[in-house]
mmCIF file of all heavy atoms in Angstrom:
data_model
loop_
_atom_site.group_PDB
_atom_site.id
_atom_site.type_symbol
_atom_site.label_atom_id
_atom_site.label_comp_id
_atom_site.label_asym_id
_atom_site.label_seq_id
_atom_site.Cartn_x
_atom_site.Cartn_y
_atom_site.Cartn_z
ATOM 1 N N ASP B 351 -7.583 46.480 -13.733
ATOM 2 C CA ASP B 351 -8.678 47.406 -14.088
ATOM 3 C C ASP B 351 -9.998 46.686 -13.902
ATOM 4 O O ASP B 351 -10.966 47.208 -13.352
ATOM 5 C CB ASP B 351 -8.436 47.891 -15.478
ATOM 6 C CG ASP B 351 -9.339 49.065 -15.872
ATOM 7 O OD1 ASP B 351 -10.127 49.516 -15.016
ATOM 8 O OD2 ASP B 351 -9.297 49.501 -17.044
ATOM 9 N N TYR B 352 -10.099 45.448 -14.399
ATOM 10 C CA TYR B 352 -11.346 44.698 -14.318
ATOM 11 C C TYR B 352 -11.777 44.446 -12.877
ATOM 12 O O TYR B 352 -12.934 44.721 -12.499
ATOM 13 C CB TYR B 352 -11.121 43.372 -15.018
ATOM 14 C CG TYR B 352 -12.309 42.380 -14.964
ATOM 15 C CD1 TYR B 352 -13.449 42.624 -15.659
ATOM 16 C CD2 TYR B 352 -12.212 41.243 -14.160
ATOM 17 C CE1 TYR B 352 -14.520 41.727 -15.611
ATOM 18 C CE2 TYR B 352 -13.266 40.343 -14.092
ATOM 19 C CZ TYR B 352 -14.418 40.573 -14.818
ATOM 20 O OH TYR B 352 -15.458 39.705 -14.734
ATOM 21 N N VAL B 353 -10.832 44.009 -12.050
ATOM 22 C CA VAL B 353 -11.166 43.711 -10.656
ATOM 23 C C VAL B 353 -11.488 44.913 -9.839
ATOM 24 O O VAL B 353 -12.357 44.924 -8.964
ATOM 25 C CB VAL B 353 -9.987 42.883 -10.016
ATOM 26 C CG1 VAL B 353 -10.202 42.764 -8.486
ATOM 27 C CG2 VAL B 353 -9.946 41.495 -10.620
ATOM 28 N N VAL B 354 -10.765 46.043 -10.102
ATOM 29 C CA VAL B 354 -10.959 47.248 -9.340
ATOM 30 C C VAL B 354 -12.148 48.081 -9.780
ATOM 31 O O VAL B 354 -12.809 48.727 -8.932
ATOM 32 C CB VAL B 354 -9.640 48.053 -9.391
ATOM 33 C CG1 VAL B 354 -9.854 49.449 -8.770
ATOM 34 C CG2 VAL B 354 -8.528 47.330 -8.643
ATOM 35 N N ASN B 355 -12.430 48.076 -11.082
ATOM 36 C CA ASN B 355 -13.433 49.002 -11.613
ATOM 37 C C ASN B 355 -14.678 48.305 -12.183
ATOM 38 O O ASN B 355 -15.808 48.414 -11.679
ATOM 39 C CB ASN B 355 -12.794 49.921 -12.648
ATOM 40 C CG ASN B 355 -11.752 50.782 -12.054
ATOM 41 O OD1 ASN B 355 -11.975 51.462 -11.039
ATOM 42 N ND2 ASN B 355 -10.556 50.752 -12.585
ATOM 43 N N GLU B 356 -14.469 47.575 -13.273
ATOM 44 C CA GLU B 356 -15.661 47.007 -13.966
ATOM 45 C C GLU B 356 -16.440 46.020 -13.109
ATOM 46 O O GLU B 356 -17.672 46.065 -13.049
ATOM 47 C CB GLU B 356 -15.218 46.363 -15.289
ATOM 48 C CG GLU B 356 -16.438 45.844 -16.089
ATOM 49 C CD GLU B 356 -16.043 45.247 -17.420
ATOM 50 O OE1 GLU B 356 -14.842 45.242 -17.795
ATOM 51 O OE2 GLU B 356 -16.943 44.833 -18.162
ATOM 52 N N LEU B 357 -15.737 45.083 -12.471
ATOM 53 C CA LEU B 357 -16.401 44.023 -11.729
ATOM 54 C C LEU B 357 -17.214 44.566 -10.536
ATOM 55 O O LEU B 357 -18.391 44.240 -10.386
ATOM 56 C CB LEU B 357 -15.402 42.933 -11.303
ATOM 57 C CG LEU B 357 -15.996 41.733 -10.586
ATOM 58 C CD1 LEU B 357 -16.980 40.983 -11.513
ATOM 59 C CD2 LEU B 357 -14.863 40.772 -10.185
ATOM 60 N N PRO B 358 -16.633 45.464 -9.698
ATOM 61 C CA PRO B 358 -17.428 45.975 -8.567
ATOM 62 C C PRO B 358 -18.637 46.771 -9.058
ATOM 63 O O PRO B 358 -19.720 46.696 -8.452
ATOM 64 C CB PRO B 358 -16.442 46.860 -7.840
ATOM 65 C CG PRO B 358 -15.087 46.347 -8.180
ATOM 66 C CD PRO B 358 -15.237 45.850 -9.579
ATOM 67 N N ALA B 359 -18.477 47.510 -10.128
ATOM 68 C CA ALA B 359 -19.642 48.284 -10.675
ATOM 69 C C ALA B 359 -20.768 47.325 -11.095
ATOM 70 O O ALA B 359 -21.949 47.528 -10.804
ATOM 71 C CB ALA B 359 -19.198 49.120 -11.832
ATOM 72 N N LEU B 360 -20.362 46.219 -11.732
ATOM 73 C CA LEU B 360 -21.323 45.218 -12.172
ATOM 74 C C LEU B 360 -21.986 44.515 -10.968
ATOM 75 O O LEU B 360 -23.216 44.354 -10.929
ATOM 76 C CB LEU B 360 -20.547 44.189 -12.993
ATOM 77 C CG LEU B 360 -21.256 43.288 -13.972
ATOM 78 C CD1 LEU B 360 -21.855 44.107 -15.113
ATOM 79 C CD2 LEU B 360 -20.266 42.265 -14.546
ATOM 80 N N VAL B 361 -21.212 44.172 -9.991
ATOM 81 C CA VAL B 361 -21.676 43.512 -8.795
ATOM 82 C C VAL B 361 -22.649 44.434 -8.036
ATOM 83 O O VAL B 361 -23.742 44.015 -7.665
ATOM 84 C CB VAL B 361 -20.496 43.085 -7.908
ATOM 85 C CG1 VAL B 361 -20.997 42.710 -6.484
ATOM 86 C CG2 VAL B 361 -19.750 41.899 -8.544
ATOM 87 N N ASP B 362 -22.283 45.676 -7.905
ATOM 88 C CA ASP B 362 -23.105 46.559 -7.103
ATOM 89 C C ASP B 362 -24.430 46.903 -7.852
ATOM 90 O O ASP B 362 -25.403 47.221 -7.220
ATOM 91 C CB ASP B 362 -22.345 47.854 -6.779
ATOM 92 C CG ASP B 362 -21.236 47.634 -5.778
ATOM 93 O OD1 ASP B 362 -21.199 46.542 -5.148
ATOM 94 O OD2 ASP B 362 -20.335 48.480 -5.629
ATOM 95 N N ALA B 363 -24.383 46.858 -9.180
ATOM 96 C CA ALA B 363 -25.563 47.131 -9.962
ATOM 97 C C ALA B 363 -26.578 45.958 -9.912
ATOM 98 O O ALA B 363 -27.801 46.173 -10.019
ATOM 99 C CB ALA B 363 -25.232 47.451 -11.396
ATOM 100 N N HIS B 364 -26.073 44.730 -9.759
ATOM 101 C CA HIS B 364 -26.955 43.575 -9.876
ATOM 102 C C HIS B 364 -27.263 42.858 -8.574
ATOM 103 O O HIS B 364 -28.155 42.039 -8.529
ATOM 104 C CB HIS B 364 -26.307 42.533 -10.820
ATOM 105 C CG HIS B 364 -26.422 42.957 -12.246
ATOM 106 N ND1 HIS B 364 -25.507 43.805 -12.865
ATOM 107 C CD2 HIS B 364 -27.339 42.637 -13.200
ATOM 108 C CE1 HIS B 364 -25.827 43.985 -14.128
ATOM 109 N NE2 HIS B 364 -26.925 43.301 -14.345
#
Side-chain angles (χ1 to χ4, degrees):
Chain B
D351 191 3
Y352 176 73
V353 167
V354 169
N355 297 307
E356 183 177 359
L357 185 60
L360 202 64
V361 165
D362 292 346
H364 285 84

